[in-house]
Amino acid sequence: MKKGRLILSGGGDIEASFDVDKNYFSLLKNNSKILYIPVALDRTSIGFEACYDWFSTLIAKHSKNKELDFTMLLENDQIPDLMSYNSIYIGGGNTYKLLDYIIKNNLDKKLIDYLKKGGVVYGGSAGAIIFGKDIRTVDEENDMNYPQFLGLNFLRGYSVICHYSKSLDRKIFESVKNIKTKIIALPENSGILLDVKGNVIETIGKVFTFDGNNKIKI
């Protein structure tokens, strides 16, 4: 049986996330079909063409020996059958907006089911944070007052923070206490690979966990 995999990236530009993206694309076979979900972005300033061009550039950088095709899923599109795709790529942007979209479209359950049936899912920045227990680790304004803050809780009780640097340690320890959750911290050049039970089976770059007063490199 094919093994489902979830890759979570700390975010950043194409160069910063190169090693994580390389790991992701290595899991995809030739002629794979990818469903790219960029709904977290503010597309009043970032249009369809910019999203399309960025993802095309990302694929070209990592698929020299493969033919890969992708479809973009935008806010008002009908949700397709996820099993029609070999992989799902969830991009960054506003985490609250993304989680609201995921919950309203019942994609939380569908994504977990997709993973358990052997699918490969990539979450970058906001796309990574939603798989944690609580998204209130993010340092961004919830300007639209989106009501959702409990994530998909796929990481065995951990929440996620991306774009991590040491300067955030104090804030993260405060978050551990305030939202009562352990936290996995991902710098922009790092990521984690998880199995369908939410176990971390590989780290890419430096990854840290925060639990109570303890910070541990994993």
Side-chain angles (χ1 to χ4, degrees):
M1 180 180 177
K2 182 182 175 184
K3 296 179 180 179
R5 290 290 184 262
L6 172 64
I7 294 180
L8 303 183
S9 166
D13 58 25
I14 288 178
E15 284 69 33
S17 64
F18 182 88
D19 289 340
V20 184
D21 297 338
K22 180 180 178 181
N23 191 301
Y24 163 64
F25 283 102
S26 73
L27 298 175
L28 305 184
K29 296 181 179 179
N30 189 35
N31 295 317
S32 287
K33 294 172 59 181
I34 304 169
L35 181 64
Y36 170 40
I37 306 178
V39 300
L41 292 171
D42 178 8
R43 290 198 306 104
T44 58
S45 57
I46 302 175
F48 174 93
E49 293 81 5
C51 293
Y52 185 94
D53 291 346
W54 177 84
F55 201 66
S56 297
T57 301
L58 179 66
I59 287 179
K61 199 171 188 69
H62 292 279
S63 62
K64 293 185 172 75
N65 299 317
K66 299 177 183 176
E67 290 291 332
L68 300 176
D69 189 23
F70 75 93
T71 299
M72 287 175 57
L73 178 64
L74 304 179
E75 289 93 325
N76 297 320
D77 292 344
Q78 183 175 350
I79 305 298
D81 176 11
L82 300 188
M83 297 309 299
S84 299
Y85 296 88
N86 303 101
S87 179
I88 299 170
Y89 186 108
I90 308 172
N94 185 298
T95 311
Y96 289 98
K97 177 185 177 184
L98 176 60
L99 182 61
D100 187 71
Y101 171 83
I102 293 291
I103 299 296
K104 283 183 177 178
N105 287 280
N106 201 32
L107 273 171
D108 50 339
K109 300 178 181 65
K110 291 178 181 178
L111 284 168
I112 300 303
D113 185 57
Y114 176 80
L115 279 166
K116 290 181 176 179
K117 289 180 178 177
V120 176
V121 177
Y122 181 108
S125 190
I129 294 168
I130 62 167
F131 282 94
K133 182 179 179 180
D134 194 309
I135 70 167
R136 289 176 294 176
T137 57
V138 297
D139 187 19
E140 61 188 48
E141 294 294 329
N142 184 8
D143 294 334
M144 299 297 292
N145 293 315
Y146 292 111
Q148 309 290 348
F149 60 85
L150 295 179
L152 278 60
N153 198 19
F154 191 74
L155 282 68
R156 304 176 67 86
Y158 281 87
S159 297
V160 178
I161 187 167
C162 294
H163 310 284
Y164 167 74
S165 66
K166 189 175 181 180
S167 63
L168 295 174
D169 283 6
R170 182 175 178 180
K171 174 185 180 298
I172 295 172
F173 279 124
E174 290 175 354
S175 293
V176 169
K177 295 177 182 178
N178 293 337
I179 62 178
K180 297 178 174 59
T181 177
K182 299 174 288 185
I183 293 175
I184 294 176
L186 302 174
E188 289 189 350
N189 60 351
S190 75
I192 52 177
L193 176 65
L194 302 104
D195 65 17
V196 295
K197 295 183 179 180
N199 298 306
V200 176
I201 57 178
E202 184 179 347
T203 60
I204 306 155
K206 295 180 180 180
V207 177
F208 302 91
T209 62
F210 289 76
D211 183 1
N213 296 315
N214 299 312
K215 172 186 174 183
I216 301 170
K217 180 183 175 184
I218 61 172

